[in-house]
Amino acid sequence: MNFLAHIYLSFNDKEITIGNFIADSIRANKFQHLPIKVQKGIKLHRLIDTYTDTHAIPKISSKRLHANYSHYSRVIVDIYYDHFLAKNWSKYSDIPLDVFVDNFYDLLEDNYEILPDGIKRMMPYMIADNWIFNYSKMDGIARVLNGMNRRTKNKSRMNFAILDLEEHYDEFEKEFTEFFEELITYSKHKYISLTTKK
């Protein structure tokens, strides 16, 4: 899953949210210097990723893209699914998306000193262009896909994946909706398990 899903699946727990967000910037187990609950957020992130990577429904979404994007198809599906979460946000949260995202940006700024360098470099761009809120819009997703394509030096052709989203929009949305309900249940169980352990 992409940024918004991981933040949402931290269940409004601030330290878990930080860990869940920064996990992709942390290698192996090199997080022992971080507060214990942030470490648990990193572990939760990895559990969510493993569950997603092995679940049948995201595999169906990914297979639809595989011929055009090969191993990048899973990354694209993560981005699509964040779009559907943002677009249908009111189904999942009583907090308006713009308020939720602003609170998250404030949380990052309040905990800047413990963030990995990669996150610190990314933050100004993410906040200035309001990446996470703009997942709800097709042009926001197009910008993300263009940026990802540039990062792969145009090898991934991910910039064209906005066309696949438009063509198969209803199928992808249905798959997201079915999968995300299961992911919420799984993630809540793992969150409780992690946070009740000493």
Side-chain angles (χ1 to χ4, degrees):
M1 302 302 289
N2 210 43
F3 292 147
L4 181 58
H6 280 291
I7 299 163
Y8 175 78
L9 294 169
S10 299
F11 305 103
N12 297 312
D13 186 316
K14 291 182 178 180
E15 289 181 292
I16 294 290
T17 300
I18 294 165
N20 208 341
F21 178 70
I22 68 173
D24 283 335
S25 298
I26 304 286
R27 291 189 178 182
N29 64 346
K30 295 184 178 178
F31 51 74
Q32 309 301 323
H33 61 290
L34 294 168
I36 293 296
K37 217 169 180 190
V38 174
Q39 294 183 36
K40 291 181 177 184
I42 292 168
K43 292 174 183 177
L44 179 60
H45 177 110
R46 292 174 177 177
L47 288 166
I48 289 168
D49 278 359
T50 299
Y51 181 82
T52 301
D53 289 344
T54 55
H55 195 286
I57 295 175
K59 285 181 179 178
I60 293 168
S61 296
S62 180
K63 190 174 181 181
R64 192 177 293 117
L65 299 168
H66 198 266
N68 290 332
Y69 306 103
S70 186
H71 60 282
Y72 295 107
S73 57
R74 286 191 175 185
V75 178
I76 295 167
V77 169
D78 284 348
I79 294 166
Y80 288 177
Y81 281 12
D82 253 18
H83 165 66
F84 292 118
L85 175 56
K87 176 200 162 196
N88 298 297
W89 184 255
S90 61
K91 292 182 183 178
Y92 301 102
S93 178
D94 295 330
I95 304 168
L97 181 59
D98 58 340
V99 175
F100 181 88
V101 171
D102 284 347
N103 289 343
F104 170 67
Y105 294 153
D106 289 344
L107 177 66
L108 290 185
E109 289 171 344
D110 290 345
N111 293 274
Y112 187 82
E113 68 283 353
I114 68 167
L115 300 178
D117 290 342
I119 298 292
K120 289 177 179 177
R121 287 192 295 271
M122 179 181 73
M123 263 179 66
Y125 305 101
M126 180 176 67
I127 294 172
D129 293 333
N130 207 356
W131 292 356
I132 297 172
F133 178 78
N134 285 320
Y135 286 155
S136 61
K137 305 170 187 175
M138 289 295 278
D139 61 347
I141 292 299
R143 282 197 295 275
V144 171
L145 291 166
N146 274 311
M148 296 293 286
N149 183 58
R150 283 194 301 274
R151 269 187 251 172
T152 67
K153 298 180 180 177
N154 302 318
K155 291 176 185 174
S156 67
R157 300 176 68 252
M158 285 170 70
N159 53 311
F160 292 107
I162 193 68
L163 303 176
D164 299 84
L165 178 57
E166 290 169 349
E167 183 178 355
H168 301 287
Y169 195 89
D170 292 343
E171 295 100 313
F172 284 122
E173 185 165 24
K174 181 174 180 289
E175 288 153 10
F176 162 77
T177 302
E178 290 178 10
F179 170 66
F180 201 63
E181 288 300 328
E182 295 184 31
L183 182 61
I184 291 170
T185 301
Y186 171 83
S187 302
K188 186 70 173 180
H189 172 74
K190 292 299 180 184
Y191 166 76
I192 292 168
S193 176
L194 285 165
T195 54
T196 52
K197 284 181 186 174
K198 291 186 179 179

